Amino acid sequence: MRESEKTATPPALARTSLSWLGPRYEGKVRDTYQRDGLRILVATDRLSAFDRVLTTVPGKGQVLTKMAAYWFERTRHIIPNHVVAVPDPCVMIGKELSIIPIEVVVRGFLAGSAWRDYQAGRPTSGVQFPQGMREFDQLQEPVITPSTKEVVGKHDQPISEAEIVRRGIVSARMWDEVRSKALELFKLASSEVGDRGLLFVDTKYEFGVVDDSVVLADEIHTLDSSRFWIADSYSKNVSARKAPEMLDKEPIRQWLLSKGFSGDGEIPAISEEYRSELTAHYVQSCAKITGQPCDLDTQDPACRVDRNLRAYFDSFGSV
């Protein structure tokens, strides 16, 4: 029996309709509501790549929420975060804050879009990597390659650190704090997953501001925001190197590229079998990265989310 057949899966949660919470904002993956000074983030099972929503992967939202909750707890000594409660396997409730409109990408290896830029002779967010590098090479030290946050349907745009400050998106002082915290978060996760036989390749962080203080927001170290490789599958010998075993979304990106899709035009058909394989991939990867079991709740997610959120707000007498 294949691994994908061993994973009990719930129905897919494509979107929510919680009108009693107020208007819904639909991101690439999360449905967001605002109530009583809180931001309710529902991780759906939507799968996105190249800034396009492709399909759904049953259980994916639960995996993302579990991973984010784990890493928010593990890193709260480095920087405060927005988390108030996790009342459902797919739901994280956070403080209302002002999001800094920058995705803070930290890279430890030359891979993904940075490698594609490098092949084309382009810098990545103003960073020019040394000549003679090969795909999957480890960088001498982690670097930050930011991008702007765009609305759904539009591609995020690379931006240099100097340009962020020049445009006044954040002050120089605040950017120094953001970059310092991002590198510290990356270092902690690299060490922890390294003890589990993994390499932390790259990730993105989002930060916000509450009462003039910088806090960590959105998600952290999930399979949608990060790349992880199996260390034993990575060869430092360039001549013998093959693509390492990946615990992230890069395989689907490569599959899409092989079909001639890089974000524009018609999305290739994705089979039910492949969706099941992706569910197993997310679940197994979560367990390897966090070192904890990653069992899925197989109840109907739409009903469960509604019920658990009503119970949460009812406990404050605000439903």
Side-chain angles (χ1 to χ4, degrees), residues 270-288:
I270 299 175
S271 69
E272 292 298 311
E273 181 180 15
Y274 191 29
R275 290 172 68 229
S276 294
E277 291 174 1
L278 288 171
T279 295
H281 172 74
Y282 269 81
V283 169
Q284 294 156 16
S285 297
C286 173
K288 289 175 181 176

Side-chain angles (χ1 to χ4, degrees), residues 1-310:
M1 182 179 292
R2 290 178 302 188
E3 291 297 325
S4 60
E5 297 173 326
K6 297 178 184 178
T7 304
T9 59
L13 180 63
R15 59 182 48 83
T16 59
S17 181
L18 305 169
S19 57
W20 60 272
L21 276 174
R24 174 176 64 95
Y25 169 76
E26 183 173 307
K28 297 184 187 77
V29 173
R30 288 170 177 77
D31 286 353
T32 304
Y33 301 84
Q34 294 171 270
R35 184 187 181 99
D36 300 336
L38 300 171
R39 186 172 291 263
I40 299 95
L41 302 168
V42 185
T44 72
D45 294 331
R46 296 192 292 267
L47 176 69
S48 70
F50 300 116
D51 296 317
R52 295 279 299 278
V53 175
L54 309 171
T55 184
T56 57
V57 175
K60 174 176 172 284
Q62 293 187 46
V63 171
L64 295 186
T65 303
K66 182 179 181 66
M67 294 186 75
Y70 172 84
W71 286 109
F72 275 127
E73 183 61 32
R74 286 286 297 115
T75 59
R76 63 173 57 252
H77 67 286
I78 294 175
I79 183 172
N81 61 61
H82 70 140
V83 180
V84 172
V86 184
D88 179 89
C90 290
V91 179
M92 185 168 287
I93 296 178
K95 302 171 187 174
E96 188 59 76
L97 45 74
S98 176
I99 283 286
I100 297 171
I102 294 293
E103 292 194 340
V104 184
V105 181
V106 184
R107 301 180 184 274
F109 292 78
L110 186 59
S113 62
W115 169 246
R116 292 188 282 274
D117 285 343
Y118 188 80
Q119 283 183 302
R122 297 188 299 263
T124 301
S125 301
V127 176
Q128 188 71 60
F129 296 105
Q131 292 185 354
M133 294 191 71
R134 304 291 184 91
E135 187 176 16
F136 310 128
D137 276 355
Q138 187 169 13
L139 304 175
Q140 287 190 344
E141 60 183 14
V143 300
I144 293 180
T145 59
S147 64
T148 61
K149 281 182 60 63
E150 302 293 338
V151 298
V152 174
K154 290 188 177 181
H155 295 292
D156 297 339
Q157 298 298 315
I159 184 172
S160 70
E161 295 186 69
E163 185 73 2
I164 290 169
V165 175
R166 191 189 69 79
R167 290 190 195 176
I169 297 174
V170 296
S171 67
R173 180 196 60 78
M174 183 174 287
W175 180 251
D176 284 345
E177 181 179 359
V178 165
R179 79 178 322 276
S180 173
K181 295 300 183 183
L183 291 170
E184 194 172 350
L185 292 166
F186 190 83
K187 180 180 179 181
L188 178 143
S190 295
S191 175
E192 182 169 323
V193 303
D195 291 341
R196 299 190 185 113
L198 305 177
L199 297 173
F200 193 25
V201 181
D202 56 41
T203 192
K204 72 174 180 68
Y205 300 112
E206 294 190 26
F207 296 87
V209 179
V210 176
D211 298 328
D212 295 324
S213 296
V214 174
V215 300
L216 188 61
D218 193 56
E219 62 182 331
I220 174 177
H221 303 163
T222 73
L223 295 173
D224 272 15
S225 66
S226 312
R227 286 187 178 88
F228 301 87
W229 295 338
I230 302 293
D232 285 347
S233 71
Y234 178 78
S235 174
K236 293 183 179 180
N237 184 342
V238 174
S239 62
R241 183 183 296 160
K242 298 179 181 179
E245 185 178 348
M246 302 175 182
L247 306 183
D248 50 55
K249 288 202 307 185
E250 188 60 21
I252 182 104
R253 293 188 189 96
Q254 293 299 325
W255 181 83
L256 291 165
L257 288 169
S258 75
K259 301 291 184 181
F261 179 82
S262 59
D264 297 317
E266 186 176 353
I267 297 170
I270 299 175
S271 69
E272 292 298 311
E273 181 180 15
Y274 191 29
R275 290 172 68 229
S276 294
E277 291 174 1
L278 288 171
T279 295
H281 172 74
Y282 269 81
V283 169
Q284 294 156 16
S285 297
C286 173
K288 289 175 181 176
I289 292 163
T290 64
Q292 298 182 344
C294 188
D295 300 322
L296 296 179
D297 186 312
T298 57
Q299 298 177 72
D300 177 84
C303 294
R304 189 199 66 234
V305 166
D306 184 274
R307 181 176 65 250
N308 287 339
L309 277 171
R310 286 181 184 275

